[in-house]
Each structure stands twice: as structure tokens, then as C-alpha cells.
Amino acid sequence: MSDTTLPLFEVFVRAKRGLSHVHVGSIHAPDATMAVRNARDLYTRRQEGVSIWVVAASDIVASSPDEKDSFFDPAGDKIYRHPTFYTVPEGLEYL
Amino acid sequence: MYGNDFVDPNDPGAGPLNAADGGAVEAAAAHVDRRSEIDLSDFDAIIAADQRVEPRDVMPEEYRQTLIRQIAQHAHSEIIGMQPEGNWITRAPSLRRKAILIAKVQDEAGHGLYLYSAAETLGIDRAELLDRLHNGKQKYSSIFNYPTLTWADIGAIGWLVDGAAIMNQVPLCRCSYGPYARAMIRTCKEESFHQRQGFELLWDLVRGTEAQKAMAQDAVNRWWWPALAMFGPRDTGEHATGGHTAQSMAWGIKRFSNDDLRQRFVDMTVPQAERIGITIPDPKLSWNAERNHYDFGEIDWDEFWRVLKGDGACNAQRMARRVASHEQGAWVRDAAAAYAAKQAARQQAAAGEGSAA
């Protein structure tokens, strides 16, 4: 018998049409096709989804939490990107 | 379903598990020392602010190990928990009950997989987790070492065991570790069906023949105390110093003491029993108007530790079945992996030809 762990896939489910896929967890499977089938059995037993994506966990590239300050800093001093930054006369609507 | 997280402090195999186990003072000192080595300011800030810790965040090693052990034990409990109920699938008294039971047992498998998935985010491999279950290094909830002798046991398990599990798991939805909390949210949404189907099953029986009513009562007699024991050893008042409740609470893993959860469970369950004419097998059970809670008798802790250490009615049977299932399923995993490898090789070959042409 072999005790090697099958590849890991991250699972994303679209709960209903009009919503984006959301990460729900992971699953081990020998290949992507089996991962989709098994993810259906594991994550959508109660009609929680209308569509499933699986992505090999090893293929995911992520930002590092170690550099989260410096990485996201550039957005920190640009408050003029938010509408609340601007002053407008009182009493106006739809602005 | 799931019993609370606890270990036998006398079991050398369990080892020191976190800062509150065994040499609490030394471990606490080590924890403080380590702060100068690793920058924990982020972690502490996250915990202090009651935020979630995510997989790639810096976290103290004790926190990581505590979570691996707790989530793994929780996952193992779900998987082993399939056995006592699976025992009755072929003998369910109607197609309706059989469909319900199959769905419930499948849910338990699903809960186990959500949890293994969460544990793996802490950097431990699935195969390693299963190895630790199979070689006894990690435990599962003792409740599953009791036998399911009659059909009514399926009702008692759903009502009492899953009821206790819900009581334990709801606070875990706010656990400081994000993936565990999310797995618990998913699990809790499914547990309600488990408890209700069990209660309904018992309710059907108590409205049946005298023999059926007696069977329901007998099942509750046998499952009541093990269900109370699922909350783990006493950990308030004079018992507060042992165990690792305090550390787990400080880390936001655990939100309420074992004793508090047990009291809530009793308070919630007694009126349900009265409603369907089931007697709780505890002569000391009585409403205490002063405390605004039910008083209840003491759990047989000798039995609790005995079963946890392996001397329950079904410990050996459960583990043998688990290991056999794993070994007998190996050819399926091997075949699927071989097929995937073959397909991948063919695709690669085809891609090679394409580029050559």
C-alpha cells in the first residue's frame, strides 16, 4: 500500500449565479477532475453551490504576510482616492 | 460530532502539549522567553483585538502545536464517529430512516475532512495525521468507544451526543484560528439536522409500544453520562489549575470552560427530556432556583479516564476497523494516482509532439 498524500487542491464555490467564487477549503485528489467531483461531495451536499473551481494548492502565488505593511503601504497615504476626502456645499443630493 | 478537547495528563505518549499542561510555570516562562526571539507583537495584537490568526501569520509554536493536536483530535473523532452509527445503516427500520442515517454518517465524514483541511493549513501533512491516529499518538473522543446496542441508540446519539457536540462547537466558530473557526461554522450548520433527527427518532419511539418506549429510555440511560463526559474534565473552581483551559482561553481557542458548557447542556436538555417523557438517569438532578440552573450528579471520572486510556467497550474494535478501512482503500488511492500519472504523461507527450511539429 502507498501512504503518499495525494495532491492538495484549494476549492472555490459560487453559491449562486451573480456571486463570485469564494474559497471554502481544500481537498486531496489524484487529479483536478477527481478534485472537482470530490469537492462536490464534500462542499455542496446541501446545494451550497452552482459552480466549483479547484486550483492546485502548489500553483497559488500569494503575497507574504511578513511584508504586509510595506506591501500595502502605498495605498495608505492616498486618502484622496475616497469620496469622503472631498468637501462639497451642504444640502446637495446625489453627490 | 465531537467531545471537548482534553488529554490524559498521565499518558506519557501525549507529551507536554502547551503552556498549561504539566509544568505550567516553566512552560509559561519559556513562552515569555521566546518573545525576545520572535516578533510576536502581531500575534498578540491579533489575539488582543479578538481578530483571526491566518495560516501564514507568525504564531507561537505552542499555539500551532495546540491547534494541530486539537483540530486533529476533532477530525479523528468525526471519522471514528462514523462507526457506531454506521453500525445501524443496514438495520434502519424504514427507508426514510436509512436515508437520514446515511446522510448523517456522510456528514460526519465531511466534518472530518473540513477539519483535516484546517489542520493542514498549520503545516502538517494529511498522511501524518492519519498515521498519528492509527498508531495511537493522537486520540479521538471517548464517546465513540461506547457500543450502539439498539436502534434507539441512534436517537440518543443524535440528541445527546450531537447536542453536546453543538454546545462545544458553537463557541469554536469564534476560535482565534481562522481556518478552524470557518470549518466549525460549516460544521455547526449541519449539526442541527443531526440533533433534531435523533430527537425525532426518540420521540417516535416513546409514542410507540411499551417495548419501544423502554428501548428509548434504556438508550438515554446509557448515553446520558458519556455525553456529559464529552465536555471534558472539570476545570472551574478547585479544578481550574489542571488541564489547559486557561491557556486555550487566553489564546482565544477556547471560549468557555468545560464546566460552563456542561451546565448549559444540562439546562438545555432536561426540559427536552421532560417534554417527551424521558427520564434523565440522575437522581441528583434538580432545579436550583437560587443558581437558576439545574444541579446534577458527579460524572464517574474513573470510568472517563479508563475509557480514554483504551479500556472502553469498543476502543480496539474502532481502531481495528479504522486501520482496516484505510488499508483496504489503498488500492483505490493507488489506482487513482496511477491513472492521474498516466493521463499527465500522455498530455505531456502530446504537447511534446505538438511543439515538434
Side-chain angles (χ1 to χ4, degrees), chain B residues 2 70-80 111-112 115-116:
Chain B
Y2 172 52
Q70 177 169 340
I71 299 173
Q73 177 175 321
H74 196 159
H76 300 331
S77 299
E78 303 284 354
I79 299 298
I80 297 288
H111 298 173
L115 286 156
Y116 284 127

Side-chain angles (χ1 to χ4, degrees), chain A residues 3-93:
Chain A
D3 254 343
T4 52
T5 303
L6 296 170
L8 186 67
F9 292 85
E10 297 297 333
V11 181
F12 301 78
V13 170
R14 184 202 293 283
K16 51 185 160 185
R17 299 188 66 82
L19 298 180
S20 48
H21 287 74
V22 173
H23 182 244
V24 292
S26 64
I27 195 158
H28 286 278
D31 57 36
T33 310
M34 285 292 288
V36 170
R37 294 189 70 88
N38 292 348
R40 176 200 61 185
D41 292 344
L42 183 58
Y43 291 106
T44 60
R45 287 196 302 284
R46 288 175 176 78
Q47 300 178 296
E48 291 95 335
V50 295
S51 166
I52 294 176
W53 288 349
V54 297
V55 183
S58 56
D59 285 347
I60 291 182
V61 180
S63 63
S64 163
D66 301 339
E67 56 179 15
K68 73 174 171 206
D69 289 339
S70 56
F71 192 70
F72 294 107
D73 261 357
D77 58 355
K78 295 177 180 61
I79 50 173
Y80 46 83
R81 282 177 167 158
H82 299 279
T84 47
F85 175 75
Y86 302 93
T87 313
V88 293
E90 276 183 32
L92 291 181
E93 285 182 324

Side-chain angles (χ1 to χ4, degrees), chain A residues 1-6 8 24-28 30-31 34 41-43 45-46 48 62-66 68, chain B residues 42 56-57 106-107 110 113-114 117 120 125-127 131 186 190 193 326-327 330 333-334 336-337 339-340:
Chain A
M1 66 179 263
S2 105
D3 254 343
T4 52
T5 303
L6 296 170
L8 186 67
V24 292
S26 64
I27 195 158
H28 286 278
D31 57 36
M34 285 292 288
D41 292 344
L42 183 58
Y43 291 106
R45 287 196 302 284
R46 288 175 176 78
E48 291 95 335
S63 63
S64 163
D66 301 339
K68 73 174 171 206
Chain B
D42 262 4
R56 296 171 74 211
D57 288 339
Q106 190 189 11
D107 272 357
L113 294 179
Y114 303 154
S117 169
E120 284 183 290
D125 189 69
R126 177 79 55 101
D131 277 350
R186 184 170 283 280
E190 299 179 355
F193 135 63
H326 186 70
E327 288 175 354
R333 296 189 293 276
D334 287 345
Y339 177 79

Side-chain angles (χ1 to χ4, degrees), chain B residues 144-334:
Chain B
F144 306 118
N145 291 320
Y146 291 89
T148 40
L149 301 179
T150 71
W151 171 248
D153 287 29
I154 301 306
I157 287 178
W159 178 39
L160 299 175
V161 177
D162 287 294
I166 292 171
M167 196 60 79
N168 267 327
Q169 289 176 149
V170 166
L172 286 172
C173 295
R174 293 194 293 123
C175 169
S176 59
Y177 189 60
Y180 192 23
R182 292 192 285 273
M184 282 299 94
I185 290 168
R186 184 170 283 280
T187 298
C188 282
K189 282 182 183 171
E190 299 179 355
E191 292 281 13
S192 305
F193 135 63
H194 296 182
Q195 194 188 18
R196 282 180 72 112
Q197 65 83 32
F199 187 76
E200 188 206 62
L201 194 165
L202 285 180
W203 193 29
D204 271 357
L205 289 176
V206 298
R207 286 179 295 173
T209 65
E210 279 307 308
Q212 285 172 323
K213 187 171 182 187
M215 183 166 74
Q217 182 63 57
D218 168 67
V220 172
N221 290 350
R222 283 180 289 107
W223 288 95
W224 173 254
W225 291 106
L228 287 195
M230 283 173 71
F231 293 96
R234 301 203 59 182
D235 60 353
T236 51
E238 60 186 297
H239 307 281
T241 50
H244 49 253
T245 295
Q247 178 63 78
S248 281
M249 281 186 158
W251 274 332
I253 296 172
K254 195 173 170 59
R255 299 289 181 173
F256 302 99
S257 69
N258 298 346
D259 287 329
D260 284 350
L261 291 170
R262 187 163 21 236
Q263 179 72 61
R264 280 189 210 190
F265 175 72
V266 171
D267 291 349
M268 180 193 79
T269 309
V270 172
Q272 295 170 357
E274 286 170 353
R275 177 68 181 76
I276 61 168
I278 287 278
T279 306
I280 299 293
D282 179 358
K284 290 188 176 157
L285 185 76
S286 66
W287 177 252
N288 183 330
E290 213 167 286
R291 289 202 310 130
N292 222 18
H293 288 295
Y294 283 94
D295 290 335
F296 54 97
E298 191 65 36
I299 291 166
D300 181 348
W301 293 112
D302 289 340
E303 175 182 317
F304 172 84
W305 292 115
R306 214 165 49 237
V307 176
L308 190 69
K309 284 174 186 169
D311 198 19
C314 301
N315 295 56
Q317 180 190 337
R318 299 287 186 242
M319 198 47 86
R321 176 75 185 278
R322 172 63 218 151
V323 172
S325 299
H326 186 70
E327 288 175 354
Q328 288 163 10
W331 72 268
V332 179
R333 296 189 293 276
D334 287 345

